[in-house]
Amino acid sequence: SQQGEEDPQALSIQEGENATMNCSYKTSINNLQWYRQNSGRGLVHLILIRSNEREKHSGRLRVTLDTSKKSSSLLITASRAADTASYFCAIPPGRRALTFGSGTRLQVQP
Amino acid sequence: SQTIHQWPATLVQPVGSPLSLECTVEGTSNPNLYWYRQAAGRGLQLLFYSVGIGQISSEVPQNLSASRPQDRQFILSSKKLLLSDSGFYLCAWTRGFELGNTIYFGEGSWLTVV
């Protein structure tokens, strides 16, 4: 089954900078979700974007979806040290379960 | 509101010993239930999912098994652990496979096989 693949694998930025991470996938999707995982914790849902949407905002998060390129991006603006975490995109492969990529590990330096 | 509980949070087990991880969901009925495993610094691997009592689908052949004895209870087991079973195990639930269903995760169980 397909899964999204995040890029880069790791990202280190300074507080106040923007962080951009990308997700690529291979087949058609109905929606794509982004999740966050603090170290040693479970994943938490951040945002869902449907295949007929190009962009979606939630607070400091901005997600885009380009179905022609089969890619999505997650932008965190004005990052904070508390944003340090791993970020995963998730693809629903039909009537089974969400599959996750390997994630982007974001480190925000105070 | 719905909550998911997973235990134990941490355990260290010798090779060849049995395993039982438990997960319960409260505040909903007939959830879809999942077990994922995450190796250190890696992504999530789907192990099992269940759409109802006694209905288990296995994604990866291995020495682990899952059971769903009650609607909101999901158990991950092994008769004999291997070193390669070490990892972070996450239980999760959704309301179904409908479009846009968010998946809710427990806090995870760290398993170290020594």
Side-chain angles (χ1 to χ4, degrees):
Chain A
S1 62
Q2 78 152 341
Q3 62 187 41
E5 288 300 330
E6 296 87 351
D7 173 69
Q9 291 186 334
L11 180 61
S12 182
I13 60 174
Q14 296 294 318
E15 217 168 17
E17 295 180 338
N18 295 342
T20 300
M21 50 207 88
N22 305 295
C23 172
S24 60
Y25 56 94
K26 294 182 178 178
T27 63
S28 297
I29 60 172
N30 292 320
N31 70 77
L32 184 145
Q33 302 181 33
W34 283 91
Y35 286 78
R36 165 191 168 130
Q37 183 182 32
N38 287 351
S39 181
R41 307 293 296 274
L43 281 73
V44 176
H45 179 259
L46 292 176
I47 197 166
L48 176 150
I49 187 165
R50 300 181 189 280
S51 59
N52 61 353
E53 299 175 311
R54 285 188 170 273
E55 188 171 311
K56 199 164 183 179
H57 296 255
S58 176
R60 293 184 294 112
L61 304 180
R62 173 176 164 251
V63 169
T64 62
L65 180 63
D66 187 335
T67 53
S68 66
K69 295 182 179 178
K70 291 184 169 56
S71 67
S72 174
S73 67
L74 170 67
L75 168 68
I76 304 174
T77 60
S79 62
R80 306 166 182 169
D83 294 327
T84 294
S86 291
Y87 293 82
F88 295 85
C89 65
I91 308 291
R95 295 185 62 78
R96 282 174 53 251
L98 285 176
T99 59
F100 295 81
S102 298
T104 293
R105 293 182 298 281
L106 173 65
Q107 177 73 43
V108 181
Q109 306 287 349
Chain B
S1 64
Q2 300 84 19
T3 57
I4 178 169
H5 302 283
Q6 183 180 344
W7 71 94
T10 306
L11 67 166
V12 179
Q13 295 283 101
V15 169
S17 65
L19 171 72
S20 180
L21 300 179
E22 295 195 34
C23 172
T24 60
V25 179
E26 296 177 359
T28 189
S29 60
N30 196 30
N32 287 356
L33 296 171
Y34 311 88
W35 280 109
Y36 287 87
R37 178 170 61 194
Q38 184 177 32
R42 304 292 297 277
L44 276 71
Q45 178 187 33
L46 177 64
L47 301 176
F48 301 95
Y49 69 98
S50 171
V51 299
I53 295 174
Q55 301 179 60
I56 308 295
S57 295
S58 174
E59 292 293 305
V60 183
Q62 53 204 329
N63 69 321
L64 299 173
S65 63
S67 62
R68 185 170 178 172
Q70 300 182 43
D71 180 44
R72 291 169 292 173
Q73 183 184 23
F74 206 24
I75 298 172
L76 182 70
S77 303
S78 174
K79 293 182 178 179
K80 289 185 177 182
L81 284 168
L82 306 173
L83 286 174
S84 58
D85 292 323
S86 293
F88 189 48
Y89 289 82
L90 288 159
C91 181
W93 73 275
T94 65
R95 290 187 176 86
F97 292 123
E98 289 79 12
L99 178 69
N101 268 335
T102 297
I103 186 166
Y104 300 94
F105 286 87
E107 286 301 307
S109 297
W110 285 100
L111 169 65
T112 303
V113 183
V114 296

